[in-house]
Each structure stands twice: as C-alpha cells, then as structure tokens.
Amino acid sequence: MSSTFNSRRAFVKNTSAGLGLLTLPSLLTANPAIPSEKKKIVCVGGHPDDPESGCGGTLAKLVSLGHDVTIIYLTTGEAGIPGTSHDDAARIRKQEAINACKVLNAKPVFAGQIDGASIVDNASLQHLQSLIKDEKPAIVFTHWPIDSHKDHQCASLLTIQTWVRTDAKFSLYFFEVCAGEQTMGFRPTDFVDITDTREIKKKSVYCHPSQDPPGIYACGHAAMEDFRGRELGVNAAEGFVRMTGKGMGGFSV
C-alpha cells in the first residue's frame, strides 16, 4: 500500500511538472517585445479595492513589462458604503474600480455577484470559468482561501475550482489583504519587488475614496509591503503563495 501511494505521489508530481505552466518569476523576466512572450494576466478579487490593495504593485509591474492585465471583481461592493443603498453604492464603487484600472492600465470586468451575499454554486462557477477562459490567462491571482471575509473566500474557491476543472493551462497564485485581520496563516512562496510601482499601487487604492484608503493602509498594507520587502531584501514587496500539484485531479498548497 505504501509503495503504491508513494508511486502515485511521484506520478502526480511529475505530471504537474510536465504541464509547462508559466511561473511568476519567469513571467517577470520574459521579454514582451517578442510576441510569444507577451502574456495575459487575470486577477480575481472579492470587491473593488481588493486586487489593488492585495497585488496592485505586481499588476502595475507586469503592465510596465508589456503584459496585459484584466481584473475581475466578483462583486461591485454594494454593501460597502454605510447609509447608502446597494444600487447607489454599486454605481459609486464600480466607477472607483474603473478609475483604479485606468491607473493600473488594466481592464475591469464585473462578475455580477452581490457584496455580502456571494455564493459558490455550479452556476457561479460556470460564469467565472467563462470569464477567465475568455481572457486566456497565463497566470491568475486571487485571494488566499483562509480569509475572514466570506466574499474573499468565495472568490478564492471559485477560482481554485476553475483552475482544477479548466482545460486551459494557467498558474494560480494567492495574494494577501490586511494580514492577520483578514488573511490568516499566509506563508509566501514567491515575492515580487514593487519598489518601483509602490506609488502606482497606492494611487490605484486611493481611487476608492468610499473605502477610506488611509484606513486600508492602516489595516497593515504599508507594513506588509515593508515586511515582505525585508524578506526579499528590497524596499517594498508583495508576497504570494503558488498553488502546486495540478495533475490527476489532485492539488496541494
């Protein structure tokens, strides 16, 4: 039994290694001047401001290197402005997201779920699969699944299931937001130096005035950038966990 189990583990590992998936480090050193090297990147976030605060520096860096970035917002942040109706809040926050994407030179896409009432079911999975498939990404970023916010969890689980089920080959990376308060148990496998794009990231976060940008940074994001930078040996960085082990229907982190 043990021999069979070990053989299966080795087979799964080898199958995954043979998939030829692009990694984040290799993407950062690719040359987009060569047409075959230019890639599409997708980031799936629970609400407007999540992708920007979680990995905006990395998205800006990838755009600066010549790659194309699409941000998919699972919800439009309907419940995110106290004292404001869902319709009005959605209108305000959608425009804020569009403004932030202009700063990042990214394309915004809205998946249509409702802030605070997001769900994981077959219909929502098929919808997100379709949105991601249309982009043909080489790499997808999303929330770490161990997060205190249900919408963040839903965004993560739907993206994970898309990664598991899709025939398209893309690498999956998780980002962190408000570490310790929202994202929990996060141990990065990869880091991206955002020293040169830190201010672009901040500008994109500040495109969300309804969400109190200074409060977002007070929630720990400035400290996170500093700490991840120390881990990498640079001024500022963002950390990610790479999903590994896709093969034979199995996966692990």
Side-chain angles (χ1 to χ4, degrees):
M1 180 68 72
S2 175
S3 176
T4 301
F5 178 72
N6 288 335
S7 296
R8 174 174 168 75
R9 287 185 63 186
F11 180 74
V12 169
K13 181 177 180 181
N14 291 336
T15 301
S16 174
L19 288 173
L21 299 180
L22 186 68
T23 63
L24 187 52
S26 63
L27 181 66
L28 291 168
T29 57
N31 181 7
I34 302 173
S36 63
E37 294 295 309
K38 183 175 182 177
K39 303 300 181 184
K40 173 60 72 69
I41 315 303
V42 168
C43 181
V44 180
H47 318 91
D49 82 44
D50 286 327
E52 295 90 328
S53 60
C55 60
T58 296
L59 298 180
K61 184 162 191 170
L62 292 171
V63 169
S64 74
L65 292 172
H67 303 293
D68 293 326
V69 170
T70 293
I71 297 178
I72 299 176
Y73 300 97
L74 185 68
T75 78
T76 319
E78 292 83 353
I81 307 179
T84 304
S85 70
H86 274 205
D87 287 345
D88 286 344
R91 175 181 53 79
I92 292 169
R93 297 197 67 187
K94 182 175 184 179
Q95 187 58 55
E96 290 176 347
I98 292 171
N99 294 342
C101 283
K102 287 179 180 178
V103 169
L104 295 172
N105 287 317
K107 180 177 78 172
V109 173
F110 300 90
Q113 291 218 39
I114 303 301
D115 184 6
S118 58
I119 58 175
V120 176
D121 63 8
N122 288 337
S124 56
L125 174 58
Q126 289 170 5
H127 183 51
L128 186 64
Q129 280 182 291
S130 177
L131 293 178
I132 292 177
K133 183 178 180 180
D134 287 347
E135 298 299 325
K136 300 179 176 62
I139 285 180
V140 175
F141 298 100
T142 194
H143 290 278
W144 178 239
I146 307 174
D147 194 288
S148 61
H149 201 301
K150 181 173 74 72
D151 292 335
H152 296 181
Q153 292 183 357
C154 288
S156 183
L157 293 175
L158 288 169
T159 307
I160 291 170
Q161 281 299 309
T162 296
W163 180 81
V164 170
R165 296 166 183 265
T166 185
D167 292 332
K169 297 177 180 178
F170 63 82
S171 294
L172 178 58
Y173 284 85
F174 302 105
F175 60 80
E176 56 183 333
V177 291
C178 201
E181 188 171 323
Q182 292 187 355
T183 300
M184 298 172 285
F186 193 83
R187 300 291 182 270
T189 60
D190 293 79
F191 300 86
V192 175
D193 179 358
I194 65 164
T195 303
D196 294 337
T197 55
R198 191 178 197 179
E199 288 305 311
I200 297 175
K201 172 185 179 175
K202 188 172 184 178
K203 185 177 179 181
S204 74
V205 172
Y206 271 74
C207 286
H208 299 272
S210 73
Q211 300 307 295
D212 180 25
I216 292 175
Y217 274 92
C219 185
H221 283 277
M224 288 159 56
E225 294 168 10
D226 290 339
F227 180 67
R228 297 308 181 197
R230 290 191 183 98
E231 290 184 293
L232 185 59
V234 298
N235 289 333
E238 291 170 337
F240 301 89
V241 173
R242 182 187 180 199
M243 178 72 94
T244 61
K246 184 174 180 182
M248 297 299 291
F251 62 95
S252 61
V253 177

